[in-house]
Amino acid sequence: MPAIPKIPAFLPMMDAVPESDPLPIDGVWRISSLGKKIRIERGRAFAVDSWLHLFVLQVEPDMVVLQNFERTGPGRYTADDLPLQGKANFTLTRDGNIRVVVQGMFGPTSYTLTKRRVDDRNALEDEIAAMTGGGSSRDRDRDQDRDRDRDRDRDRDRDTNRDRDRDQDRDRDRDRADNRRDTSGGSLADCKKLGVDSNTGDVVCKD
């Protein structure tokens, strides 16, 4: 049987599609139904491996297969699937893979993108945490900083209060000593018989 001719797929090359902002899902992913890898990068995805689409269309490396990525919510994205000619909906899963459903010209198609390598692991983990309501690592760091500042302020206030109490105790002791001296000085002048208080050690009048 004669070989089926292969025609280059009618897809733009990556350099022809403008970049947009990076996304938490930027990185290399494997298409479950094909066993082939693509790279999501700054608003578009291009082929890393080559494969045959519709038996005759050859998808080559660096050909764009997805474009116009948009984040619609925590862990949710949309993009235009160029080979399937339809809107693709992406849902990030807890294990870090992505479920994809495409409403294409041949009807709905689904596949999974399995994670091979991500550009920013922290950003992906934060996205998964945002999906599950766990909060991002940046939020956790901010909370830890706030707790640390609160503990430091509490310790500083405690030290300040302790120093103030110590100063007040010292002042009271000094005032009491001054009062004793004043009282002793006034009364001893008229004393005929002096003695020593066995409890306080102060000189007192015995008459």
Side-chain angles (χ1 to χ4, degrees), residues 30-36 109-113:
R30 181 177 176 273
I31 303 174
S32 62
S33 59
L34 298 174
K36 304 296 183 178
T109 302
S110 62
Y111 56 87
T112 299
L113 294 178

Side-chain angles (χ1 to χ4, degrees), residues 56-187:
V56 295
L57 298 177
Q58 184 73 27
V59 178
E60 297 289 351
D62 294 340
M63 284 185 173
V64 175
V65 293
L66 294 158
Q67 65 181 13
N68 300 324
F69 273 84
E70 290 186 9
R71 183 178 183 271
T72 59
R76 295 185 178 277
Y77 304 83
T78 62
D80 295 326
D81 190 307
L82 301 185
L84 297 178
Q85 300 182 37
K87 181 67 70 175
N89 291 279
F90 299 78
T91 303
L92 189 61
T93 60
R94 291 175 181 267
D95 58 5
N97 296 323
I98 302 174
R99 292 195 304 269
V100 187
V101 177
V102 183
Q103 300 297 330
M105 64 177 300
F106 303 109
T109 302
S110 62
Y111 56 87
T112 299
L113 294 178
T114 57
K115 180 177 60 179
R116 306 293 293 180
R117 184 179 67 255
V118 293
D119 293 351
D120 190 337
R121 185 178 62 184
N122 289 334
L124 185 65
E125 291 176 352
D126 286 350
E127 187 76 338
I128 295 174
M131 289 168 40
T132 57
S136 69
S137 61
R138 285 183 289 272
D139 293 336
R140 291 191 294 273
D141 290 342
R142 185 170 58 249
D143 291 341
Q144 289 174 355
D145 290 341
R146 185 178 61 249
D147 292 341
R148 187 164 49 247
D149 291 341
R150 186 181 61 243
D151 291 341
R152 185 176 60 246
D153 292 341
R154 186 179 60 242
D155 291 342
R156 184 175 60 245
D157 291 340
R158 185 178 60 243
D159 292 341
T160 300
N161 293 334
R162 185 172 58 243
D163 292 340
R164 185 179 62 246
D165 292 342
R166 185 167 55 243
D167 291 340
Q168 290 175 348
D169 291 341
R170 186 167 55 245
D171 291 341
R172 281 194 295 269
D173 292 341
R174 185 169 55 246
D175 291 340
R176 282 195 293 268
D178 290 342
N179 290 335
R180 285 197 300 270
R181 282 195 299 272
D182 292 342
T183 303
S184 299
S187 61

Side-chain angles (χ1 to χ4, degrees), residues 14-22 41-44:
M14 58 174 292
D15 293 338
V17 178
E19 296 180 348
S20 61
D21 294 333
E41 182 182 282
R42 292 183 173 270
R44 70 268 201 277

